[in-house]
Amino acid sequence: MIAITSIDGTIEGGLDERFGRAKKIILYDSEKQNINVIDNKLNMSASQGAGIQTAQNIIDAGVKVVISGHLGPNAFRVLNAAGIEAFAASNITVKEAIEAYRNGKLIKLTGSDVEGHW
Amino acid sequence: MKKINEIVIVSGKGGTGKTSLTAALASLFTGKVMVDCDVDAANLHLILNPEKVVRQSDFAGGKKADIDPELCTKCGICLDACRFEAISPDFVIDPFMCEGCGACFALCPHCAVNITEGTAGTWYVTDTGNNERFVYAEMHPGEDNSGKLVSAVRNEARIEAKSADIGLVIIDGPPGIGCPVISSVTGTKLVIVITEPTPAGVHDLERIVGLANHFKIKTAVVVNKFDINPGLLNKIKDYCSLNNLDFIGEIPFDSAVTEAQRAGKSIVDYKSECGASIAIKDIFKRIELIIGDM
Amino acid sequence: MKIVFASGKGGTGKTTIAVNLAYYLAESGKKVQYLDCDVEEPNGHLFLKPDYDNKTAVKVMVPSVDLDKCNFCGRCSAECRFNAIVTIKDKVLVFQELCHGCALCVRICPEKAISEEQREIGFIEEGSTVNGISFVQGVLNVGEPMAVPVITAVKKNFKEDYIRIIDAPPGTSCPVVKTITDADFVVFVTEPTPFGLHDLKIAMSVAINMSKLFGVVINRDGEYPPLKEYLDQEDIPVLMSVPEDRDIAEAYSRGELLLISLPGYRDHFKILADNIMKLTGKSL
């Protein structure tokens, strides 16, 4: 299963480049080809540790791959500890992001690409 | 549907003319959404003078504990547990000292502690006339500005830009280099740093440029009151060319800037031919060129 | 005597007024201590130019998990309000910079697997200036979010029988409130503009809520009647006003004390000191 951060919870809508404070998370099951949406509203207003909490939610959902814009060091550490791979995309819809991932066109993140903030 | 370009004006140190520059750019640019992310000292609305509030929302703040005296047996476990000296010997919690950690709440054997979430402030989406949108927020004293309020305010601005198909969002950033600044800078296309030729100004310029570089965002530099210290002005120019920063203008020490503020107007509307206005109009043209290349 | 210098917005000249009052009092033969609590941007040293003779680290307590004892129940992660400790299968991650040091996790761990260790977040420097001002500043390491422990450490280095001039951070955030908490007197530095007045009102509400004695210094004074009307109406004392003067801006830009480059302003600071004495009923 793949998790993609999303602005509006639809696959035609844009990918949310923020991870911890993304509005919605789309869970795409590549085998069943269906999607589920997690509302990330609670984390959007978390005063700190939003990335950590979002990462934990994704882990609890049983995801193996994450696609987002930028990952902070804290979120990356949590995903990494759980063995989840993270890929970066920008200026793209969720659907395009899934396509690009399948075609191996996304860059795998090997570390955080933004500084954490709280 | 236009692509939305966000540009942010930041300063590091406060009081370098950030809001005055932003207000002037608001007057010069057409077709934009304005945002004030300086929620600790939100001032842009004093110049943009919104005609009406389109929508608004309270914003949840930090959690605070309080003790119900009916249930409290004064056993002292919470006093012992609190690391922030927030509980008085007669078992009253000082909200300014309370960090909201919940230790007293979790450990109280008599369930006498409540945790409540207060409001940290309010954000407003407003109409400044001609159906132009301006988003700002105000914090309550004693609350900390964090990335979250900045994120919320920027989010509302993007919603407005998208629904009106506007391609430009101009953000008045918070001072400093901490978390709120990081939140106001991430994902923008251009960071404009306004500084002044003083030791603190130079020091802060270096720190904030470091931040913009970290996020690989194009950075442009403006020097305000450039003529008060020629030596430091040159140092800033050298620093810019050495670090590949776009030096896009210098604004003279001009008492008309303060007069404009007192009149509740942007400098370019107040005295369009004064030294500061001429300099800012030139800066505006350079920003237009940079945006044109995006 | 503890005098806190605060301001609603940044850049009003809070530090300029504070360092020059410290200098004036020291030149008048008083025992003065300058404490810079603006730990994210401590600038007082640029003007007072102290020689440091002591530097100490500021440390906070953070949890350390003994994985041999931990059974990964996740209770610590569930209870931590700061998202600072995360349990994943057979791992526990601690995010030290998010930890507020409340030790809740230590206390509630059923396996007693969590202890505390120290982490450095900044430092305190102490020294003195040529004219005998005792100087303390706190410096928060870049990227550290929590200023309060460093501010607390600065304040702990006070000298009892000295006049203490305390430079607070700008704004009205939590660290500012904590700096004002134990002041004998608060000086708000503002400028006569709509921005200055707007932010001054918010900042003063903090002092009013705490029933503190306070007054206002008007910096870069000029024609702006609403400020004085407001101060009159609320019966708030004006302690001193400094005119808008390009020479002051230039001296500041060179990192010079006003009282050294423009000694004509000496009387202004005498008035400021006299007004503080009058309002507190204590001699400086």
Side-chain angles (χ1 to χ4, degrees):
Chain A
M1 195 150 55
I2 305 171
I4 308 102
T5 50
S6 145
I7 288 171
D8 57 7
T10 70
I11 62 163
E12 285 80 23
L15 169 133
D16 199 331
E17 292 189 29
R18 299 164 306 170
F19 179 74
R21 296 188 195 281
K23 293 184 89 175
K24 310 262 181 186
I25 311 283
I26 291 185
L27 301 175
Y28 174 73
D29 190 325
S30 39
E31 283 158 33
K32 293 179 196 151
Q33 298 238 341
N34 67 356
I35 69 161
N36 266 310
V37 182
I38 305 181
D39 195 341
N40 203 40
K41 216 177 190 171
L42 213 69
N43 283 343
M44 263 189 85
S45 66
S47 60
Q48 61 169 49
I52 295 170
Q53 196 57 49
T54 303
Q56 195 144 37
N57 291 347
I58 283 172
I59 293 166
D60 294 344
V63 165
K64 292 278 173 281
V65 171
V66 169
I67 308 172
S68 186
H70 307 279
L71 273 189
N74 294 348
F76 188 83
R77 220 179 117 199
V78 177
L79 293 176
N80 198 36
I84 295 173
E85 291 185 318
F87 292 84
S90 82
N91 249 321
I92 191 171
T93 67
V94 170
K95 197 175 177 179
E96 289 163 351
I98 295 170
E99 281 301 309
Y101 167 71
R102 281 181 161 169
N103 299 331
K105 290 209 172 119
L106 293 183
I107 298 160
K108 186 176 164 185
L109 291 170
T110 52
S112 70
D113 67 331
V114 296
E115 208 165 84
H117 49 102
W118 27 82
Chain B
M1 179 66 72
K2 284 185 191 132
K3 196 175 92 184
I4 299 172
N5 287 321
E6 291 172 286
I7 67 177
V8 62
I9 296 118
V10 293
S11 66
K13 183 183 176 303
T16 59
K18 176 170 61 62
T19 302
S20 291
L21 175 64
T22 311
L25 294 176
S27 170
L28 295 166
F29 275 103
T30 49
K32 80 284 171 185
V33 173
M34 296 302 302
V35 189
D36 191 351
C37 281
D38 187 356
V39 297
D40 279 316
N43 288 147
L44 192 56
H45 67 281
L46 298 170
I47 305 290
L48 298 186
N49 234 331
E51 285 178 0
K52 62 168 193 269
V53 174
V54 179
R55 56 202 165 86
Q56 69 181 74
S57 172
D58 279 344
F59 197 80
K63 296 180 173 67
K64 305 276 177 197
D66 70 278
I67 296 173
D68 183 343
E70 299 280 307
L71 295 174
C72 176
T73 65
K74 305 191 192 305
C75 69
I77 289 176
C78 59
L79 272 184
D80 204 34
C82 180
R83 283 279 175 93
F84 308 104
E85 294 166 30
I87 307 175
S88 69
D90 51 344
F91 299 94
V92 177
I93 295 178
D94 178 347
F96 284 124
M97 300 302 282
C98 177
E99 295 262 332
C101 71
C104 52
F105 171 79
L107 298 170
C108 177
H110 309 288
C111 301
V113 181
N114 293 309
I115 300 275
T116 49
E117 195 173 67
T119 56
T122 311
W123 57 252
Y124 307 89
V125 174
T126 66
D127 186 337
T128 51
N130 304 325
N131 219 16
E132 286 213 313
R133 291 289 188 260
F134 164 51
V135 187
Y136 75 101
E138 290 201 301
M139 301 276 292
H140 300 319
E143 294 288 343
D144 278 331
N145 182 8
S146 65
K148 66 174 177 173
L149 187 46
V150 169
S151 291
V153 167
R154 280 183 64 190
N155 208 31
E156 294 307 317
R158 273 193 299 261
I159 290 171
E160 292 300 324
K162 203 174 164 188
S163 73
D165 198 20
I166 287 168
L168 181 63
V169 174
I170 301 176
I171 304 166
D172 188 358
I177 52 151
C179 165
V181 181
I182 296 172
S183 279
S184 71
V185 163
T186 43
T188 60
K189 295 284 153 53
L190 174 65
V191 175
I192 299 168
V193 187
I194 177 163
T195 188
E196 48 182 36
T198 64
V202 173
H203 177 246
D204 287 6
L205 172 69
E206 291 170 4
R207 298 202 353 163
I208 202 133
V209 166
L211 190 75
N213 282 346
H214 183 87
F215 292 108
K216 303 183 184 71
I217 304 168
K218 187 171 175 57
T219 308
V221 176
V222 171
V223 175
N224 193 16
K225 300 181 188 166
F226 76 88
D227 43 355
I228 59 171
N229 191 320
L232 284 179
L233 173 67
N234 285 333
K235 194 176 162 193
I236 292 171
K237 284 185 171 168
D238 291 346
Y239 175 80
C240 288
S241 58
L242 210 76
N243 290 278
N244 259 327
L245 305 169
D246 232 336
F247 187 91
I248 58 166
E250 45 192 41
I251 304 168
F253 185 96
D254 188 338
S255 54
V257 175
T258 315
E259 288 165 25
Q261 226 188 73
R262 286 178 189 146
K265 287 183 175 161
S266 80
I267 181 69
V268 291
D269 292 319
Y270 177 78
K271 212 175 200 178
S272 70
E273 292 313 316
C274 71
S277 285
I278 292 166
I280 289 173
K281 282 189 260 184
D282 190 49
I283 290 165
F284 159 70
K285 282 181 198 139
R286 296 203 187 205
I287 298 171
E288 266 194 322
L289 286 177
I290 296 172
I291 295 173
D293 287 341
M294 280 177 184
Chain C
M1 176 69 137
K2 286 165 277 185
I3 307 167
V4 170
F5 282 76
S7 70
K9 76 187 279 285
T12 59
K14 169 176 61 68
T15 301
T16 304
I17 306 297
V19 292
N20 281 288
L21 180 65
Y23 180 83
Y24 169 80
L25 293 170
E27 289 290 285
S28 316
K30 311 285 180 189
K31 279 155 79 177
V32 180
Q33 188 181 30
Y34 187 90
L35 299 111
D36 201 335
C37 289
D38 191 356
V39 299
E40 284 183 56
E41 218 58 70
N43 281 334
H45 70 100
L46 295 173
F47 302 94
L48 292 174
K49 303 179 175 68
D51 289 318
Y52 299 112
D53 47 38
N54 197 13
K55 182 173 171 178
T56 36
V58 177
K59 292 171 181 167
V60 292
M61 301 299 278
V62 291
S64 158
V65 183
D66 181 347
L67 292 178
D68 291 334
K69 288 187 189 164
C70 176
N71 66 356
F72 308 99
C73 69
R75 173 117 194 255
C76 54
S77 308
E79 293 280 357
C80 178
R81 283 170 199 272
F82 307 112
N83 286 323
I85 188 162
V86 176
T87 312
I88 307 159
K89 287 176 246 171
D90 56 351
K91 296 188 182 99
V92 181
L93 308 179
V94 175
F95 293 91
Q96 295 189 334
E97 73 283 7
L98 297 184
C99 174
H100 286 224
C102 71
L104 177 58
C105 54
V106 179
R107 289 168 191 272
I108 59 164
C109 175
E111 304 300 318
K112 303 262 173 276
I114 307 178
S115 57
E116 287 185 278
E117 61 184 23
Q118 291 188 319
R119 186 174 78 88
E120 193 175 322
I121 60 163
F123 56 89
I124 302 293
E125 282 176 304
E126 292 167 88
S128 55
T129 70
V130 179
N131 64 339
I133 300 170
S134 165
F135 184 94
V136 187
Q137 72 170 358
V139 181
L140 184 69
N141 292 344
V142 173
E144 285 293 342
M146 270 173 285
V148 174
V150 182
I151 294 174
T152 308
V154 174
K155 291 205 287 189
K156 279 190 179 147
N157 278 284
F158 70 86
K159 291 189 170 165
E160 193 53 67
D161 49 345
Y162 280 58
I163 302 168
R164 280 172 257 166
I165 306 283
I166 301 164
D167 194 356
T172 52
S173 63
C174 181
V176 181
V177 173
K178 293 207 171 162
T179 309
I180 292 176
T181 316
D182 56 0
D184 293 312
F185 192 81
V186 187
V187 177
F188 289 102
V189 180
T190 190
E191 49 183 37
T193 64
F195 295 2
L197 177 56
H198 175 263
D199 298 340
L200 175 68
K201 285 181 188 170
I202 298 172
M204 284 191 308
S205 71
V206 174
I208 292 166
N209 273 336
M210 294 188 190
S211 315
K212 291 289 172 193
L213 286 173
F214 65 93
V216 169
V217 166
I218 304 175
N219 194 18
R220 298 186 205 106
D221 203 1
E223 201 45 46
Y224 184 62
L227 174 62
K228 277 167 193 145
E229 281 162 21
Y230 174 79
L231 296 174
D232 273 351
Q233 181 196 319
E234 299 291 321
D235 217 10
I236 294 162
V238 175
L239 307 167
M240 167 174 84
S241 55
V242 180
E244 163 117 36
D245 181 346
R246 197 192 155 107
D247 290 341
I248 296 178
E250 289 184 8
Y252 173 85
S253 82
R254 294 190 298 264
E256 292 169 6
L257 280 166
L258 192 56
L259 291 180
I260 291 177
S261 21
L262 303 164
Y265 281 105
R266 201 185 140 78
D267 285 348
H268 284 74
F269 285 87
K270 181 176 186 310
I271 293 168
L272 174 59
D274 288 348
N275 278 328
I276 294 172
M277 279 194 274
K278 217 186 302 167
L279 288 162
T280 54
K282 293 179 188 168
S283 63
L284 285 181

